[in-house]
């Protein structure tokens, strides 16, 4: 699928490729299965359909599952489709439940139903249990393959249990302790298990101060918790503290990156992050809705300026400073927006802090506004010899910067409070609003002080 | 340090606080040391200086070290200063070497030297070894507290060694296998150790396909590797494959977030991310340099429009569409910029892919440009009845969007190629450049077709 330079391929890649082309199944398996799943995936993705069909016959569903877990979700659909349906459902059954659920969530209802019908009953049950959690909650990214023991077991028994369960578990580095009702009562790290005496009981060693996350909690909250507490896995519980699953650190790394990318995309009005290999048509299709909206907001600005046509006819020089004033308002608004959005996202700005943030932004707007206003007044006076025009532009900048800074922080906070998707408060949207406000301030003041300007 | 609402404090917090205020050292230690280090840190940070001084006498340097590891680097300086110098250096010595190095990197040379002099010799040596690695490289975030064994050891011996080393090691979940020259030859996960027979040798079980990172590699490269290969720890080696240290997943989570935030800040021209509790003065000081630069770029745009004063006097209506055209150019430029910067950052766009990205962006600009151009021509014709003006604005939008899209992706790629800090290619900077280009296109075309417009 990718253009790979033959010369730079490592030796192991060439060996695997040769075995595949010569249809030597045994050599292929010996070489290929030695590799890390990530490298296996890279080789798999570089093959044509013929070779891929061959690979499906060479690898067991379990071996194939490891490869699929490393492939981006949006590339998986054609791969699952070209597989034999029974093989595909076996592969899905062998994947970690959280990954299998992610895959199924990208397919349509009918496909999901048909896969689940063919799948082994136990796997299908596990997956069905997870499918109904809302996207981006702790429940949607957890896996049910954890190891649970009872507090009365000895360390020796626990280690035996752990060895037995290890092949299927997502992590063995934390073992969770549950009571007879399956409620979470403690946790032991493998580290603690290993350094404990064999005849102690689990209750002696376990920690009963458990950090856990509720199943409906936002995935970002779970990520924050795992970072704060430096956890490799986080237990997920329901309201009665029943242990439902665990979230592992590899999934959280993706969440951290995803959430940061999302905020980033919003700031730039790119809906969903494009990959470098997205085609121009798809990229244009993704960007156009935003651009058309902004086009009409721009028309609004234009019609607004149109109302001041008389002022423009009297002092054509006024037009010269339109982009400067609108641009400055846009820039400060974007700065304030960026700070507010990240503050909300990382949970650093709590409810009582939001008034403080707004006050802070207003003051910041005032300081930067006065500074920029004074500079521009002096520059225009020295450059054009126009004192009143300089004052007009300077005061407009001051007014625009204060309003733009407040708007840039107030709008996302308001959206967040109203539980509206803050995507509407994206960078260019705030910029357009600030364009309009700043032009109103500029031409409003120009109209009032017109006598000074034309005298 | 923070405003905490008394009522919402959990019971354990109140218990600890009470013991501290009543100066009951034993109760305090019993309650406090039960807590997770992150919670200990939260309590510690909420104290006044008097209570903090008390805590220093209640806790051993080792216990205090765990708290310091959770505190933000920029808040640490006053804390270290108020501690007794000997106690402070002992605390530093007990911290993970990577964290201690991070702390020392924030202090000035003299302070570092004096701490290292008082510190235990062995700890000081470890830290000195790490202090000289360049910031943001794999070397600067690695720790030297890993567990290494030899290939000839039996699994039983390895487990004994591991139990002995566990208390000091940063992670025990990967054990690294080195030869007599201390070169890295293999790796075993604790998972594999546990499920192996005790009388096998390490060589039987270890994997010799090691994923490692070179000590001078960028920290972002290390993060990508750990995510791709789903590792909990990554060995760091020199050019001769000597094992120097390991990077653990908790440090990588911070790197992922830090790098994404950096790109984000650049897009918004906020230098270094502000925290919600930054004061208005500091926020203004950070944002002003950018705003002043952009102010002068705006003056450039203004002087450019000034050159077309004659056209403006003839057709004042021209001024009305300035913000629309400049705004659309700015928005598409920012979209292209965002995609290019993330592509470079995540390493998804390799060298040979960059020409393809530029071609793709040019085509995307053409598609979006034609779409928006046609829409605006029709709207202006219907709204103002001005066909030629509509054509002029439509064609200007088309030209601006194509150029702005190319500029938005070309400039960051060029910066990256020239190894210039891409911070200069931040969002508002690109927007200003695109302002200028789009206005040149607009007024240039207006001047050429002036006859049609005034007829």
């Amino acid at each position: 699928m990718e253009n790979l330079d033959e010369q730079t391929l490592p030796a192991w890649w060439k060996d695997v490729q040769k075995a595949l082309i010569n249809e030597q199944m045994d050599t292929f398996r010996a070489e290929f299965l030695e590799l890390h799943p990530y490298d296996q995936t890279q080789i798999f993705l570089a093959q044509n359909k013929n070779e891929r069909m061959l690979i499906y016959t060479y690898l067991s569903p379990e071996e194939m599952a490891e490869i699929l877990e490393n492939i981006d979700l949006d590339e998986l659909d054609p791969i699952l489709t070209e597989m034999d349906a029974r093989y595909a459902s076996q592969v899905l059954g062998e994947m970690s439940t959280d990954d299998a659920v992610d895959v199924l969530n990208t397919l349509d209802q009918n496909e999901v139903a048909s896969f689940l019908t063919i799948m082994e009953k136990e796997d299908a049950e596990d997956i069905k249990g997870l499918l109904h959690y809302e996207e981006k909650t702790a429940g949607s990214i957890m896996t049910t393959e954890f190891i649970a023991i009872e507090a009365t077991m000895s360390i020796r028994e626990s280690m035996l249990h752990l060895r037995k369960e290890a092949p299927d578990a997502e992590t063995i580095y934390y073992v969770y302790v549950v009571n007879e009702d399956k409620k979470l009562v403690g946790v032991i790290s493998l580290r603690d298990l290993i350094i404990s005496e064999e005849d102690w009981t689990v209750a002696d060693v376990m920690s009963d101060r458990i950090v856990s996350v509720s199943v409906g909690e936002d995935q970002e909250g779970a990520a924050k918790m795992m970072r704060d507490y430096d956890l490799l896995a986080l237990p997920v519980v329901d309201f009665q503290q029943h242990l439902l699953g665990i979230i592992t650190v590899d999934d959280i790394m993706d969440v951290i990156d995803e959430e940061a990318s999302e905020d980033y995309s919003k700031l730039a009005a790119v809906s969903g992050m494009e990959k470098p290999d997205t085609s121009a048509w798809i990229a244009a299709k993704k960007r156009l809705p935003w651009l058309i909206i902004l086009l009409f907001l721009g028309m609004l600005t234009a019609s607004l300026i149109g109302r001041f046509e008389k002022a423009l006819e009297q002092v054509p020089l006024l037009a010269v400073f339109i982009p400067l004033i609108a641009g400055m308002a846009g820039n400060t608004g974007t700065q304030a927006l960026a700070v507010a959005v990240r503050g909300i996202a990382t949970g650093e700005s709590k409810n009582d802090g939001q008034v403080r943030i707004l006050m802070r932004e207003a003051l910041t707007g005032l300081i930067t506004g006065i500074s920029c206003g004074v500079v521009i007044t002096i520059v225009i006076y020295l450059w054009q010899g126009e004192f009143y025009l300089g004052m007009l532009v300077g005061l407009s900048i001051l007014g625009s910067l204060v309003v733009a800074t407040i708007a840039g922080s107030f709008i996302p906070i308001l959206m967040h409070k109203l539980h509206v998707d803050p995507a509407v408060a994206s960078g260019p949207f705030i910029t357009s609003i600030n364009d309009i406000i700043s032009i109103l301030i500029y031409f409003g003041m120009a109209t009032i002080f017109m006598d000074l300007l034309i005298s």
Side-chain angles (χ1 to χ4, degrees), chain A residues 48-257:
Chain A
N48 296 322
K49 187 170 174 186
N50 280 343
E51 278 94 52
R52 288 203 303 274
M53 297 308 282
L54 215 54
I55 292 179
Y56 303 144
T57 64
Y58 287 178
L59 297 182
S60 73
E62 194 179 346
E63 289 153 357
M64 195 63 218
E66 284 224 65
I67 298 177
L68 254 53
E69 286 177 7
N70 283 305
I71 298 181
D72 279 349
L73 287 177
D74 44 3
E75 294 176 24
L76 269 181
D77 200 16
I79 294 171
L80 283 172
T81 316
E82 74 186 16
M83 285 179 185
D84 171 81
R86 178 162 301 273
Y87 182 76
S89 72
Q90 283 169 337
V91 170
L92 282 170
E94 293 290 346
M95 289 172 77
S96 300
T97 42
D98 53 344
D99 290 325
V101 168
D102 288 343
V103 175
L104 291 175
N105 271 329
T106 65
L107 306 179
D108 66 47
Q109 295 271 319
N110 292 335
E111 282 179 292
V112 174
S114 76
F115 275 130
L116 289 178
T117 321
I118 324 179
M119 203 177 288
E120 272 183 46
K121 206 172 160 220
E122 200 185 328
D123 293 331
E125 289 305 319
D126 278 354
I127 290 174
K128 272 186 206 156
L130 289 178
L131 264 177
H132 68 268
Y133 290 114
E134 217 177 314
E135 241 191 304
K136 307 214 167 179
T137 59
S140 73
I141 55 168
M142 75 183 183
T143 170
T144 50
E145 284 132 343
F146 54 85
I147 301 181
I149 55 177
E150 279 161 38
T152 50
M153 285 167 87
S154 71
I155 299 297
R156 188 182 300 106
E157 287 169 316
S158 309
M159 285 299 285
L160 281 174
H161 182 75
L162 191 136
R163 278 201 194 91
K164 205 179 66 163
E165 297 285 327
D168 285 326
E170 180 93 8
T171 182
I172 60 162
Y173 300 131
Y174 291 105
V175 177
Y176 298 95
V177 187
V178 292
N179 65 12
E180 57 276 18
D181 297 330
K182 304 284 172 206
K183 288 189 185 176
L184 182 63
V185 295
V187 59
I188 307 187
S189 68
L190 181 52
R191 193 177 192 132
D192 289 334
L193 274 179
I194 282 181
I195 57 177
S196 301
E197 299 293 330
E198 292 210 316
D199 50 357
W200 291 354
T201 68
V202 168
D204 295 333
V205 191
M206 75 179 198
S207 159
D208 55 2
R209 273 197 209 274
I210 316 148
V211 179
S212 66
V213 66
S214 155
V215 69
E217 171 85 52
D218 191 76
Q219 61 176 7
E220 207 157 1
K224 182 169 180 342
M225 219 176 258
M226 288 186 77
R227 276 183 68 190
D228 284 347
Y229 288 94
D230 279 347
L231 300 174
L232 299 178
L234 179 67
V236 181
V237 296
D238 64 14
F239 290 114
Q240 286 155 343
Q241 208 61 18
H242 292 108
L243 181 58
L244 302 177
I246 58 168
I247 300 175
T248 49
V249 74
D250 51 316
D251 298 318
I252 284 300
M253 282 200 275
D254 297 335
V255 169
I256 292 175
D257 192 59

Side-chain angles (χ1 to χ4, degrees), chain A residues 15 18-29 58:
Chain A
D15 290 345
K18 211 171 105 190
L20 190 59
I21 289 169
N22 297 334
E23 303 196 12
Q24 297 162 316
M25 167 159 161
D26 292 337
T27 322
F28 173 80
R29 283 181 57 84
Y58 287 178

Side-chain angles (χ1 to χ4, degrees), chain A residues 5-22 31 35 43:
Chain A
D5 190 346
E6 281 287 326
Q7 308 229 299
T8 61
L9 289 180
W12 47 262
W13 186 304
K14 288 181 190 162
D15 290 345
V16 170
Q17 192 73 55
K18 211 171 105 190
L20 190 59
I21 289 169
N22 297 334
E31 295 279 343
L35 301 175
I43 293 185

Side-chain angles (χ1 to χ4, degrees), chain A residues 355-374:
Chain A
V355 177
R356 217 168 19 131
I357 292 183
L358 284 178
M359 295 295 296
R360 199 269 309 254
E361 287 298 328
L363 191 55
T364 308
L366 198 65
I367 299 171
T368 50
I370 291 175
S371 314
C372 292
V374 168

